[in-house]
Amino acid sequence: MGRGSCSAIVGLALLMMVTGSYALSPNFYSKSCPNVFNTVKSVVHSAILKERRMGASLLRLHFHDCFVDGCDASVLLDDRGSFKGEKNALPNKGSLRGFEVIDAIKSKLEKQCPCVVSCADILAIAARDSVVLLGGPYWKVKLGRRDSKTANLKAANSGAIPSPFASLSSLISNFKAHGLSAKDMVALSGAHTIGKARCSSFRSRLYNENNIDRVFAKARRTTCPAKAGSGDGNLANLDFVTPNNFDNHYFKNLLDKRGLLHSDQVLFNGGSTDSLVRAYSNNERAFHADFASAMIKMGDIKPLTGSQGQIRRNCRLVN
């Protein structure tokens, strides 16, 4: 479909929305693209069957998108000429994955309902489906976001995305700045029950911190040498017990001082969030419920709606 015809479809859709509400809704595509959920789920399912880790990667994409200027798919934009996206920001470079899965979903949806489903909404649905397919909670994903026409490399590089070296107070402040509570922060940190981290992000914890189980640290050191620049990209499971299951073992690990990242263990280190960690370690159902609620709140961060932004035809490029 050419550029002009896509613009015409989007223009018609906006004209029909003028008198309506711009609030996000799970039913946003019920008439314009009724098979959107099944389409996303089928691609995500295939990707996770090929590689279980992809579920964590897709969830992380949504998180890193929402924490930089809201859930607007800016994280998906490629560098192009003088335009600089967010993919090469320090928290993202060499570690964000899953872009090809989003491309595959977008390609299928463009054939079914061209110029209708935003890349930002694809990220939100794919994150939910990833969690569910790995044994986590289901939640109704609110839809109706539109895609940004720009990116914010500076914000991505300047602390908008929480650091693996962050203190508890820094984490609480960061999430609060995005409208999320300390409880939301702890619940969302539970996403580290799946996925992996690079040696460079936990080396200092292994060799310089005392609130870490010795046996755990010794095992991790075998693939993460003390010398900076040596083995920086070597991976370790964030949850070494059940790394591919979305359960509450992440929190049980923290009780045993087996959090991989500094920003993990600070959640249970004599501070204000200790009680929440203990509660989630004892009650997986409570963790799942609070995680789902926090994901819905995160998905509400500064969405572009109505006539704002655009519906990208290619998630990597502005139309």
Side-chain angles (χ1 to χ4, degrees):
M1 177 168 284
R3 183 180 297 271
S5 55
C6 187
S7 299
I9 290 175
V10 173
L12 178 61
L14 290 177
L15 183 64
M16 295 170 65
M17 291 169 59
V18 168
T19 58
S21 170
Y22 294 155
L24 302 182
S25 165
N27 302 315
F28 188 83
Y29 299 113
S30 59
K31 294 183 179 179
S32 59
C33 196
N35 202 38
V36 60
F37 287 115
N38 288 334
T39 301
V40 175
K41 184 178 179 180
S42 67
V43 177
V44 172
H45 185 255
S46 295
I48 291 178
L49 279 179
K50 291 179 181 177
E51 182 193 16
R52 298 277 286 183
R53 182 189 173 199
M54 186 54 68
S57 298
L58 292 173
L59 176 58
R60 187 167 181 252
L61 267 182
H62 182 42
F63 176 76
H64 280 224
D65 180 41
C66 292
F67 267 56
V68 179
D69 290 348
C71 309
D72 60 3
S74 59
V75 74
L76 300 178
L77 291 170
D78 285 341
D79 290 354
R80 192 175 179 87
S82 61
F83 177 84
K84 300 300 178 185
E86 298 162 14
K87 290 182 177 179
N88 284 315
L90 186 60
N92 299 337
K93 187 175 183 179
S95 65
L96 275 191
R97 309 168 70 249
F99 299 108
E100 70 285 353
V101 178
I102 302 301
D103 291 340
I105 295 169
K106 182 62 172 173
S107 178
K108 284 197 170 188
L109 289 173
E110 284 299 299
K111 292 176 182 176
Q112 295 174 21
C113 29
C115 311
V116 171
V117 181
S118 69
C119 302
D121 280 344
I122 291 172
L123 283 173
I125 302 170
R128 188 276 308 276
D129 289 348
S130 294
V131 170
V132 172
L133 288 166
L134 293 176
Y138 174 91
W139 64 92
K140 289 186 176 181
V141 179
K142 294 195 285 185
L143 304 169
R145 303 169 190 81
R146 289 168 63 80
D147 300 323
S148 69
K149 297 179 182 180
T150 186
N152 194 338
L153 178 63
K154 182 178 180 181
N157 268 327
S158 304
I161 300 168
S163 164
F165 312 108
S167 65
L168 179 59
S169 60
S170 176
L171 289 172
I172 292 173
S173 297
N174 183 296
F175 278 70
K176 184 178 180 181
H178 293 96
L180 299 167
S181 67
K183 183 178 181 180
D184 295 326
M185 182 271 290
V186 176
L188 290 172
S189 295
H192 285 179
T193 189
I194 55 175
K196 299 175 183 287
R198 294 180 297 175
C199 167
S200 58
S201 66
F202 58 85
R203 173 184 283 117
S204 61
R205 170 154 169 73
L206 295 184
Y207 293 95
N208 300 321
E209 298 185 10
N210 295 319
N211 61 338
I212 186 168
D213 177 78
R214 291 183 180 180
V215 174
F216 172 77
K218 184 177 181 180
R220 302 288 82 75
R221 288 171 182 167
T222 59
T223 55
C224 185
K227 184 180 179 181
S230 177
D232 284 3
N234 292 350
L235 300 172
N237 292 319
L238 286 158
D239 172 6
F240 70 99
V241 181
T242 55
N244 294 313
N245 296 330
F246 202 93
D247 54 26
N248 65 339
H249 269 287
Y250 167 80
F251 297 104
K252 294 180 179 180
N253 294 337
L254 298 185
L255 297 186
D256 294 329
K257 298 182 180 180
R258 294 181 175 184
L260 185 65
L261 305 178
H262 176 83
S263 58
D264 290 328
Q265 196 60 54
V266 295
L267 302 183
F268 189 81
N269 193 40
S272 60
T273 55
D274 279 18
S275 59
L276 265 176
V277 171
R278 196 178 297 278
Y280 291 152
S281 73
N282 290 324
N283 191 334
E284 184 173 275
R285 183 174 296 181
F287 160 52
H288 279 180
D290 289 350
F291 180 85
S293 296
M295 285 296 292
I296 293 172
K297 287 178 67 176
M298 187 182 81
D300 283 341
I301 297 176
K302 296 168 60 177
L304 300 175
T305 60
S307 60
Q308 299 172 318
Q310 62 181 206
I311 302 298
R312 290 186 213 138
R313 291 182 301 276
N314 180 337
C315 290
R316 296 173 181 264
L317 306 171
V318 174
N319 292 344

